[in-house]
Amino acid sequence: MGNDTGRDRKDEQLEAAREADPEGRLTTNQGVPVDDDDNTLRAGDRGPSLLEDFHFREKITHFDHERIPERVVHARGAGAYGYFEAYAAYPELTRAHFLAEGGRRTPVFVRFSTVAGSRGSADTVRDVRGFAVKFYTDEGNFDLVGNNMPVFFIQDGAKFPDFVHAVKPEPHNEIPQAASAHDTLWDFVRNQPETTHMMLWAMSDRALPRSYRTMQGFGVHTFRFVAADGTGTFVKFHWKPRLGVHSLVWDEAQRIAGLDPDFNRRDLWEAIEAGAYPEWELGVQLVPESREHDFDFDLLDATKLIPEELVPVTPLGRMVLDRNPDNFFAETEQVAFHTAHVVPGIDFSNDPLLQARLFSYLDTQLIRLGGPNFTQLPVNRPLADVRNNQRDGYHQTRIDVGQTAYSRNTLGFGCPAAAGPEDGYRHAQERVDGEKVKRRSPSFADHFSQAALFWRSMAGWERDHIVAAFTFELGKCETAEIRRDVVAQLAHVDAELAGRVADGLGLDRPAVLETPAPEPSPSLSLDTLGGDLGIATRKMAVLAASGTEPAELVPVVEALYARAAVCEIVAADPASLDPEATGADKDVVRRPLATVDSPLYDAVVVPGGGDAVERLATDDDVLRFVAEAYRHGKAIGAVGLGAGVLSAAGVPDDAPGVVADPGLTAEEVAANFADAAASRHWDRPARG
Ligand code: HDD
């Protein structure tokens, strides 16, 4: 890739920091060759160790200091490099250089994360996901530190420590890990009704993304674009995945947390290694400053979204992630995002949550990365030149040359000189006048209308999942009053929601208190966000056994590959398979059944073959595999006699998303199965 892409410039900069010389001799950190790395220096074979063993002391000391504090939130994550490409120039909106020319590419690093869990927690817990993008622009770094949900739990950053203390494991026993289903979170919720809208999102399947590659991202706050002439436009940022938005279901997510705690992390890594580069479109909702007060909610309130039906999303460019980091700690762990990392042309609003973040992120990096020079770490270093009078501090790696480190100076010929408003960052001009108050604006007071908007915009199956999630989470709360109070809070949103959750918890249905909701916003439903890439990159299990008929398996595998899906052949004993029946020429991975399970796949298909069907239909693990796929709404296919395995698992052959007509050819099954596997099927009858 040439230099014009911009992407290579970050890669080249990183190259200078890469160390890869495994063939050289082992040395100490002083570069002294080490003669023996296995034994301490001691007085005699069985004698005590000697303090002068500097190699041993250095090795152990370094090891003892290997850990840094994990992020106080968003500790668990995965990152990747790529580029952002603008579709066109947008001079009427912003003077930002990275949006100033169609086709201009800017390197990026993206880190996705869960919020509540520790670094080692499972990926597929019920949680918000972080979606943080660092643009290495020619004018300095711009960090868009967003989430996969467009609203937030609280309105004012002063409540952030309280919220985080409530959702994190409880302080007396540090239980539960990476889970919101406990008393303190829901106690916070009942006392802070502004959480209601976000809690509906968090109880929806948005909190269980199938993949980081199939999540939307949102800047959440209202930001401000500033054009060269100073014109300001309020802006909300949106990332839309090309693969569509896809989620897991709760039972499946829990199973995956045990089967593969690295499920989302592995998925991102493998897709990029395989060249299936994930892609998102960056879009914006734009509100001219003159229309700031045209809405029945406040643009400064982060618990509100602007329905896309009111303000459509205008696409500005696309982002592609095409390179995995070389070293998790150096890059993904040490990357430091900050909402105040903005470039000329991008500015803030007075959202009190955003304003608090503008303080918090720099502060946290100082403790997490040990001092003010974290900006010099390779992953954080801007591509733009850095030139100022900031000096010294822990881990300073620059050698700033010259006599002067102050401004204004004459000895240094006045250098470096300030850029001035034309080139330099100039904060948006705004007249501000007010009393000093510790008070919420009355325009932030409505906590339920948009919660109702979200609920009413959901498809039936999404509502079922939300009700199940509230019932599960509140069911885990040990304090009865918390369950009762939260259900009463839900009665402000919708009678059906509150009533169904009350039923699930064995409580009386609360009195109806509904707030009138705006018109539903279809763009909030996952039903409208499926994408148009069908089954591309989805993972399909092909269940096989010795005796599986090649003529029934190979066309299925070929058809799935032709649609860019990933296929794995799953068998109790892969070595017993006829090599021809495994599509070996296609390098199809074969997995022993004991090492995988149904929740790790998006759909399952069973080719026929007399002996094989008998083996499969009498194997409990196979039957559970198929039954679980059915329960999780996944497409299930069978070729020829393979249908016998489905009926042994109790799967009705005419249920939605089940392709099991023995009269169909393998090619026909493959085509129908591929269509069925593009989405989940929730309207299924119970298994027989
Ligand atoms: Fe935050 C990390 C997103 C509110 C304070 N936040 C962090 C990360 C993301 C977000 C994606 C992880 C970045 C990474 O991968 O390194 N945070 C959000 C969003 C918010 C939000 C979308 C609301 C709209 N955050 C928020 C508030 C505060 C913080 C109100 C404090 C007042 N967030 C932090 C932090 C973290 C952080 C403590 C922990 C680690 C870090 O910053 O680097 O400063």
Side-chain angles (χ1 to χ4, degrees):
M1 208 174 294
N3 259 349
D4 61 321
T5 63
R7 170 202 182 276
D8 254 13
R9 291 183 50 218
K10 186 63 196 175
D11 204 16
E12 276 166 18
Q13 191 196 47
L14 291 168
E15 186 57 27
R18 289 189 184 118
E19 298 287 346
D21 182 20
E23 276 149 39
R25 288 178 305 174
L26 183 81
T27 74
T28 66
N29 275 343
Q30 300 303 317
V32 175
V34 172
D35 70 331
D36 179 302
D37 196 31
D38 299 325
N39 300 290
T40 43
L41 185 71
R42 59 187 79 114
D45 280 350
R46 304 183 59 254
S49 299
L50 300 177
L51 198 55
E52 72 185 58
D53 186 350
F54 57 84
H55 166 55
F56 164 76
R57 276 189 289 122
E58 179 195 85
K59 183 177 177 182
I60 293 294
T61 306
H62 200 281
F63 170 75
D64 290 342
H65 293 250
E66 251 171 36
R67 288 289 168 271
I68 63 172
E70 68 174 29
R71 289 168 174 82
V72 56
V73 282
H74 296 265
R76 172 143 185 106
Y81 292 95
Y83 60 86
F84 172 79
E85 185 178 72
Y87 288 150
Y90 304 97
E92 69 289 358
L93 293 177
T94 174
R95 61 184 277 211
H97 182 261
F98 76 103
L99 290 169
E101 188 188 345
R104 177 167 293 164
R105 284 190 178 185
T106 300
V108 297
F109 183 81
V110 178
R111 183 172 178 275
F112 303 108
S113 48
T114 52
V115 180
S118 298
R119 261 193 71 179
S121 56
D123 279 346
T124 59
V125 296
R126 176 176 296 284
D127 201 352
V128 183
R129 298 301 186 282
F131 192 129
V133 183
K134 188 180 285 296
F135 296 76
Y136 303 97
T137 89
D138 290 346
E139 296 174 307
N141 290 351
F142 166 45
D143 292 353
L144 185 52
V145 196
N147 278 340
N148 74 330
M149 299 179 192
V151 288
F152 201 64
F153 297 96
I154 47 170
Q155 298 172 319
D156 190 310
K159 299 308 300 166
F160 191 68
D162 300 297
F163 163 68
V164 174
H165 289 171
V167 71
K168 282 268 184 180
E170 298 189 5
H172 56 307
N173 56 10
E174 217 186 33
I175 297 174
Q177 178 55 241
S180 51
H182 59 115
D183 286 50
T184 56
L185 184 263
W186 291 96
D187 186 31
F188 181 83
V189 166
R190 69 169 165 169
N191 283 297
Q192 206 76 30
E194 73 207 51
T195 52
T196 310
H197 185 195
M198 182 63 162
M199 289 316 296
L200 261 83
W201 282 82
M203 294 303 109
S204 79
D205 289 356
R206 300 280 191 140
L208 311 170
R210 157 65 181 85
S211 159
Y212 291 137
R213 302 175 296 126
T214 61
M215 299 189 316
Q216 274 177 297
F218 302 90
V220 181
H221 310 283
T222 301
F223 288 84
R224 198 189 307 251
F225 270 155
V226 184
D229 65 2
T231 306
T233 309
F234 288 119
V235 55
K236 294 249 189 203
F237 292 102
H238 294 241
W239 293 107
K240 282 211 168 126
R242 265 205 78 198
L243 287 168
V245 184
H246 300 283
S247 288
L248 303 169
V249 66
W250 177 230
D251 177 68
E252 181 189 20
Q254 290 182 91
R255 293 264 289 118
I256 296 173
L259 289 165
D260 184 5
D262 306 300
F263 186 71
N264 291 142
R265 182 182 274 193
R266 189 188 308 283
D267 166 274
L268 179 68
W269 178 274
E270 286 182 350
I272 293 175
E273 289 300 297
Y277 302 138
E279 185 173 332
W280 287 260
E281 182 163 77
L282 178 68
V284 284
Q285 287 177 297
L286 299 165
V287 179
E289 284 183 343
S290 58
R291 287 193 49 214
E292 179 180 359
H293 301 292
D294 282 7
F295 303 91
D296 53 12
F297 52 88
D298 197 322
L299 288 183
L300 304 185
D301 176 356
T303 66
K304 306 295 187 299
L305 52 83
I306 311 181
E308 290 183 32
E309 292 71 19
L310 288 185
V311 179
V313 176
T314 307
L316 297 187
R318 66 191 189 107
M319 176 173 77
V320 177
L321 298 183
D322 60 1
R323 195 161 61 75
N324 280 315
D326 290 299
N327 182 299
F328 186 91
F329 179 84
E331 297 167 281
T332 309
E333 191 61 18
Q334 294 199 107
V335 67
F337 292 94
H338 183 11
T339 42
H341 291 164
V342 287
V343 290
I346 297 182
D347 212 309
F348 316 113
S349 69
N350 296 335
D351 173 345
L353 194 73
L354 174 59
Q355 296 281 325
R357 295 179 74 193
L358 298 178
F359 170 74
S360 184
Y361 287 71
L362 172 58
D363 189 40
T364 210
Q365 310 310 349
L366 296 177
I367 180 75
R368 197 171 73 80
L369 298 170
N373 292 315
F374 66 87
T375 54
Q376 297 175 20
L377 292 167
V379 67
N380 294 325
R381 247 183 95 189
L383 283 174
D385 291 341
V386 174
R387 210 178 287 113
N388 57 42
N389 293 316
Q390 288 156 37
R391 291 289 186 277
D392 309 347
Y394 284 111
H395 320 304
Q396 177 61 262
T397 60
R398 288 166 62 105
I399 303 178
D400 285 302
V401 176
Q403 187 184 7
T404 56
Y406 57 91
S407 171
R408 300 171 169 216
N409 69 60
T410 306
L411 288 176
F413 306 102
C415 294
E422 286 298 306
D423 298 326
Y425 188 93
R426 184 165 184 247
H427 290 268
Q429 301 296 291
E430 185 182 23
R431 189 184 156 77
V432 178
D433 199 4
E435 290 169 20
K436 291 183 194 168
V437 289
K438 275 206 173 227
R439 190 169 69 204
R440 263 334 129 84
S441 166
S443 55
F444 282 39
D446 168 14
H447 303 316
F448 302 117
S449 301
Q450 287 214 346
L453 165 78
F454 182 72
W455 169 256
R456 284 172 208 177
S457 305
M458 294 292 100
W461 63 270
E462 290 174 296
R463 292 183 182 196
D464 294 345
H465 292 181
I466 291 170
V467 168
F470 271 108
T471 311
F472 175 90
E473 299 256 323
L474 292 170
K476 287 273 198 178
C477 289
E478 284 167 18
T479 311
E481 293 74 30
I482 294 179
R483 296 197 283 273
R484 185 199 61 205
D485 289 355
V486 175
V487 170
Q489 208 159 298
L490 294 178
H492 288 278
V493 179
D494 186 272
E496 181 206 346
L497 169 64
R500 290 176 64 188
V501 175
D503 292 349
L505 294 168
L507 299 175
D508 292 339
R509 287 191 162 220
V512 179
L513 297 164
E514 286 177 41
T515 322
E519 282 296 297
S521 170
S523 55
L524 297 177
S525 167
L526 291 175
D527 266 355
T528 67
L529 296 167
D532 54 7
L533 292 180
I535 58 169
T537 81
R538 296 301 168 79
K539 212 171 202 177
M540 308 296 175
V542 182
L543 288 178
S546 123
T548 291
E549 178 58 56
E552 300 197 1
L553 181 143
V554 174
V556 172
V557 170
E558 279 176 357
L560 296 176
Y561 267 91
R563 298 199 191 200
V566 177
C567 270
E568 292 189 351
I569 293 175
V570 176
D573 178 10
S576 70
L577 300 178
D578 174 349
E580 270 187 46
T582 67
D585 54 325
K586 293 217 165 321
D587 221 11
V588 182
V589 173
R590 274 153 277 166
R591 302 266 183 219
L593 184 52
T595 66
V596 292
D597 215 337
S598 179
L600 300 177
Y601 296 92
D602 291 294
V604 51
V605 60
V606 191
D611 288 357
V613 168
E614 209 177 304
R615 282 191 187 94
L616 293 169
T618 51
D619 181 333
D620 285 345
D621 291 334
V622 167
L623 299 182
R624 194 190 57 187
F625 197 113
V626 173
E628 242 183 324
Y630 187 76
R631 178 171 174 202
H632 297 151
K634 295 171 181 175
I636 302 176
V639 187
L641 297 177
V645 179
L646 274 47
S647 38
V651 168
D653 56 9
D654 56 351
V658 176
V659 181
D661 180 347
L664 296 178
T665 64
E667 286 78 5
E668 287 165 340
V669 169
N672 294 353
F673 171 74
D675 289 343
S679 58
R680 298 272 178 115
H681 304 271
W682 300 116
D683 46 349
R684 286 180 164 170
R687 283 189 301 122

